[in-house]
């Protein structure tokens, strides 16, 4: 199957054509810019390799979204939610975890105000 034609780099004003989003010259600069808006290093430490193992174990035991299951729907799990966030003293203990799909996780986070609390302190 033929490849799509090259398109202009997404960097404003760059005339280079590429199969990717950015040309080779701007790809690294965009990656650095993107990394600035990721989790802060202290938070990232709490979500390392150990967390991934805990999460995988929990998902194996609870493969369906717990919120959807309460409402009579069967939806595969996509995320593991901390009932009491780590930032407020929660742990990775199973009693503090909850299997949820992405829409349920977003609604829980919005309802709790966790996502937007950071800016208001």
């Amino acid at each position: 199957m033929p490849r799509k034609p090259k398109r202009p780099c997404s960097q404003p004003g760059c005339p280079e054509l590429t199969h990717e989003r950015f040309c080779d010259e701007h790809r690294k600069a965009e990656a650095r810019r993107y990394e600035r808006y990721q989790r802060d290093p202290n938070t990232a430490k709490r979500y390392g390799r150990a967390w991934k193992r805990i999460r995988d174990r929990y998902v194996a035991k609870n493969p369906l979204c717990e919120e959807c299951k309460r409402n009579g729907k069967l939806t595969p799990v996509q995320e593991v939610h901390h009932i009491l966030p780590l930032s407020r003293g929660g742990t990775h203990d199973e009693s503090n975890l909850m299997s949820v799909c992405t829409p349920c996780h977003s609604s829980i986070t919005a309802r709790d105000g966790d996502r937007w609390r950071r800016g208001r302190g």
Side-chain angles (χ1 to χ4, degrees), residues 10-12 21-23 25-36:
S10 292
Q11 179 72 24
R21 184 167 176 217
F22 292 97
C23 67
E25 181 182 343
H26 294 113
R27 188 175 300 125
K28 288 181 183 175
E30 179 61 20
R32 280 192 307 274
R33 187 192 70 75
Y34 180 80
E35 289 299 318
R36 266 190 292 177

Side-chain angles (χ1 to χ4, degrees), residues 58-70:
Y58 191 79
V59 167
K61 289 181 186 176
N62 304 286
L64 299 174
C65 173
E66 295 175 37
E67 284 286 302
C68 288
K69 203 174 354 178
R70 274 189 221 127

Side-chain angles (χ1 to χ4, degrees), residues 1-6 19:
M1 182 170 189
R3 282 184 77 153
K4 283 182 165 181
K6 288 185 175 183
H19 287 293

Side-chain angles (χ1 to χ4, degrees), residues 105-116:
H105 189 253
S106 296
S107 67
I108 291 169
T109 305
R111 187 173 52 229
D112 293 346
D114 292 338
R115 182 74 41 134
W116 298 277

Side-chain angles (χ1 to χ4, degrees), residues 8 48 91:
T91 65

